[in-house]
Amino acid sequence: ARGFVFHDPHSERLDAALRAGMVSGYIGYDLTADSLHVGHMVQIMLLRLLQRTGHRPVALMGGGTSKIGDPSFREEARQLMTEATILANMAGIRRNIEPFLRFGDTGNDALLPNNADWLDKLGYIELLREVGPHFSISRMLAFDSVKNRLEREQGLTFLEFNYSILQRYDFRE
């Protein structure tokens, strides 16, 4: 009603799902800094709204994906971070989120999972066999973030190219 969602082609189905019972909604956070910025507030507001209306917010910490770094719309590859830096950044971002969501073990308390918990356990062959068949290289190459990097002198590393596969694996989890 306030225009928080600009366009939803499936609004009737979403409304029905939200009325039928508790729905979980998640936002993923890369741990590339020790604090969030004002641009993250919209996502936190959405999670808070979900919780206030009886649904479960999930603030997904990217402890696994941050080991690669999101290549989207960057001029060059991110510097790889140490495990200690990633953990420190996670603690800082958690402090940013905690005042806005209720955490605990009951009802619609917010969850704060770390995708390193499942991504770190994946074997490479297992990932290729389970996830690989569901991805089209042609479609991935068509993404603006990929096309732009491929046109630059730096290019796109194989490591960064796999980032979107890990994001989709997060959604599955």
Side-chain angles (χ1 to χ4, degrees), residues 114-163:
N114 175 1
N115 67 9
D117 292 344
W118 54 85
L119 293 178
D120 284 357
K121 295 176 186 171
L122 281 176
Y124 188 62
I125 299 299
E126 175 190 2
L127 177 68
L128 289 176
R129 288 180 56 91
E130 185 174 334
V131 179
H134 303 287
F135 286 86
S136 161
I137 295 295
S138 299
R139 184 160 187 263
M140 292 171 74
L141 290 172
F143 292 144
D144 285 339
S145 59
V146 173
K147 282 194 304 189
N148 291 341
R149 282 290 296 281
L150 291 175
E151 292 170 359
R152 293 193 178 102
E153 187 175 314
Q154 164 101 28
L156 183 71
T157 68
F158 180 72
L159 181 69
E160 294 171 293
F161 187 69
N162 283 275
Y163 186 86

Side-chain angles (χ1 to χ4, degrees), residues 1-12 14-15 18 27 42-43 45-47 49-50 53:
R2 294 181 179 167
F4 192 64
V5 176
F6 173 71
H7 177 71
D8 177 10
H10 307 289
S11 60
E12 295 83 18
L14 178 59
D15 287 346
L18 292 170
I27 303 293
V42 172
Q43 292 89 355
M45 288 171 46
L46 176 60
L47 292 177
L49 178 63
L50 278 171
T53 55

Side-chain angles (χ1 to χ4, degrees), residues 48-68:
R48 183 178 170 99
L49 178 63
L50 278 171
Q51 189 170 45
R52 289 178 57 200
T53 55
H55 303 286
R56 172 169 285 140
V58 179
L60 178 63
M61 299 287 106
T65 46
S66 293
K67 293 174 183 175
I68 293 174

Side-chain angles (χ1 to χ4, degrees), residues 51-104:
Q51 189 170 45
R52 289 178 57 200
T53 55
H55 303 286
R56 172 169 285 140
V58 179
L60 178 63
M61 299 287 106
T65 46
S66 293
K67 293 174 183 175
I68 293 174
D70 185 353
S72 299
F73 307 106
R74 296 194 50 88
E75 296 282 327
E76 56 190 37
R78 292 185 187 270
Q79 293 295 315
L80 296 179
M81 295 185 294
T82 66
E83 185 75 22
T85 299
I86 291 171
L87 292 174
N89 290 351
M90 186 183 321
I93 290 173
R94 181 183 179 117
R95 282 191 301 273
N96 291 160
I97 294 171
E98 284 179 329
F100 301 100
L101 300 174
R102 186 186 68 254
F103 291 89

